[in-house]
Amino acid sequence: MAMSLSDRPSLSAPLAHAARLGRGLVAAGIGLVVPPLCLSCRRPLVDPRTLCGPCVRDLEIITPPICDIMGTPLAFDAGPGARSPELRWNHPLYDKARAATVFGPMSQRLVHQLKYQDVPGMASLMARLMAPAIADLTAGADVLLPVPLHRRRLLARRYNQAVLIADALSPLVGLPVARHAVRRVRYTSHQVGLAREQRADNLHAAFRIVDRAAVDGKAVVLVDDVLTSGATADSLAVTLKAAGARAVRVAVFARVVGEGNREPA
């Protein structure tokens, strides 16, 4: 008796299994020829998604106590809700910020590899380091919003590092990514080396809301690689709150601490 199409065993599962097995064998073969390397210094590793011991030790991971608003390290633990003295003269327009690391030689190296050298896996590594550091920001939040690049800079760089980090963070924190809610409409000169006031002037009216529904009434978590003076985050916070955002929080891989909030070139 002839077998109908519906009675025939499906080939999709065996084919999918064979494909997965094939990819695993290829990866294993590549691993034997080219061992996994540290994402920073290229030392051989067991886990290809991370850093070697010396590079990890060179990272200045931010741990409590921290300022409840700025997320910067504090000299001593003053209890829940402790705030940095810097807030007296440098209070941000966003609600809170958190960073995984202090911006230093190693974090700068990783940021530059993500921004300018397109090192595979760097955004994923940053997201894994950021996720526990920003847990209090993402709790009760609605959406991740990567800081947008102007189209001229995006064409020159080919990708937005903030989008890569946000995409890697999304499954870790359980929040969607609003990639197109805000557009950068003013092309601004590079911010590196500028003081806070110069950065603020540079970013005046730099952003425009494109999708109001994506932010109206939402607690938004801005995502970027580095937080320096906070002028970009402040400008975005003003734009987002004018569009109805109920909260604007900032999550970054590294933040500059002290020294006038200037980022080394």
Side-chain angles (χ1 to χ4, degrees):
M1 180 168 149
M3 184 182 291
S4 69
L5 287 176
S6 60
D7 294 329
R8 292 176 185 173
S10 172
L11 294 178
S12 59
L15 287 174
H17 176 71
R20 287 194 297 270
L21 182 60
R23 287 194 295 269
L25 290 172
V26 169
I30 292 173
L32 290 173
V33 178
V34 182
L37 302 175
C38 170
L39 290 174
S40 174
C41 69
R42 319 310 289 166
R43 286 188 181 96
L45 285 178
V46 174
D47 187 344
R49 306 171 304 155
T50 188
L51 304 174
C52 66
C55 287
V56 169
R57 287 192 291 274
D58 286 343
L59 272 179
E60 297 179 72
I61 302 293
I62 294 177
T63 58
I66 61 172
C67 172
D68 185 53
I69 302 297
M70 303 180 73
T72 49
L74 296 177
F76 60 91
D77 190 352
R83 298 189 175 188
S84 168
E86 186 181 348
L87 289 170
R88 296 171 190 167
W89 67 87
N90 182 21
H91 201 291
L93 301 178
Y94 53 82
D95 296 290
K96 288 189 178 187
R98 295 290 183 268
T101 68
V102 172
F103 190 83
M106 179 54 65
S107 58
Q108 180 182 33
R109 180 175 182 173
L110 301 184
V111 166
H112 282 195
Q113 287 182 331
L114 174 62
K115 266 184 171 179
Y116 309 119
Q117 299 173 29
D118 195 13
V119 174
M122 190 60 74
S124 177
L125 170 68
M126 290 181 178
R128 294 198 305 276
L129 290 171
M130 288 169 64
I134 67 172
D136 62 332
L137 298 189
T138 55
D142 299 295
V143 66
L144 301 177
L145 197 156
V147 173
L149 289 177
H150 189 274
R151 62 181 181 275
R152 282 173 58 186
R153 189 150 289 145
L154 187 59
L155 284 171
R157 193 176 293 168
R158 299 179 293 108
Y159 59 90
N160 180 353
Q161 75 280 355
V163 171
L164 299 182
I165 297 171
D167 284 346
L169 264 177
S170 178
L172 300 179
V173 300
L175 293 176
V177 180
R179 295 174 189 80
H180 309 296
V182 182
R183 182 178 301 153
R184 194 162 191 151
V185 293
R186 274 193 61 214
Y187 183 77
T188 54
S189 57
H190 283 287
Q191 300 279 83
V192 173
L194 298 182
R196 180 181 175 84
E197 295 77 11
Q198 293 171 309
R199 287 172 179 260
D201 290 342
N202 200 29
L203 288 159
H204 177 68
F207 301 99
R208 180 181 299 157
I209 300 295
V210 177
D211 183 1
R212 191 183 186 95
V215 300
D216 189 14
K218 307 289 179 60
V220 178
V221 179
L222 297 177
V223 178
D224 209 355
D225 53 351
V226 180
L227 181 64
T228 51
S229 70
T232 299
D234 279 347
S235 181
L236 269 167
V238 169
T239 302
L240 289 165
K241 289 187 176 184
R246 62 183 172 87
V248 179
R249 306 159 186 172
V250 182
V252 296
F253 168 65
R255 72 160 301 145
V256 175
V257 175
E259 297 183 4
N261 288 329
R262 290 174 182 264
E263 176 185 345

